[in-house]
Amino acid sequence: MTFSRWLRSNSEHALLRDAQRRMAAKYDANPPARPHDVKDRWWRQVFAPVYRLLPWGLRRVLMQRIPGSHRQGWPKPEYISPKDQ
């Protein structure tokens, strides 16, 4: 796994768990499991809150700088000439 995929995977997981925790608190539901180790604790208790505090413009710049699936475009359609039909 490349560094960018590792970073994207961990950040998505941390942000998802943070959103689930906030929704559970808002609607008085069961929250996700607590962080188990230091790595999980750092992603969920440091990264997610700091990321939430960043303005959207800075978040967008960061997402564009890090390669990942969000940068993949649509495939170019194959052009078929009318005379070839």
Side-chain angles (χ1 to χ4, degrees):
M1 179 182 285
T2 64
F3 175 73
S4 59
R5 286 210 182 269
W6 175 84
L7 178 63
R8 184 174 177 87
S9 173
N10 283 314
S11 60
E12 283 178 348
H13 182 73
L15 293 171
L16 174 67
R17 289 295 181 145
D18 183 58
Q20 289 172 341
R21 180 192 56 78
R22 288 185 290 119
M23 293 300 287
K26 183 177 179 178
Y27 294 108
D28 197 30
N30 292 334
R34 298 177 70 89
H36 297 293
D37 57 0
V38 175
K39 180 189 108 175
D40 195 29
R41 188 168 282 151
W42 185 88
W43 280 103
R44 289 169 59 184
Q45 294 178 347
V46 177
F47 172 79
V50 169
Y51 185 81
R52 246 186 314 137
L53 292 175
L54 295 177
W56 173 246
L58 183 56
R59 287 186 209 179
R60 197 179 83 202
V61 168
L62 290 172
M63 284 189 279
Q64 293 302 317
R65 302 278 177 186
I66 298 173
S69 62
H70 63 282
R71 296 188 70 187
Q72 295 176 358
W74 290 98
K76 292 184 179 180
E78 293 183 25
Y79 177 73
I80 299 174
S81 173
K83 64 182 173 182
D84 292 340
Q85 290 181 356

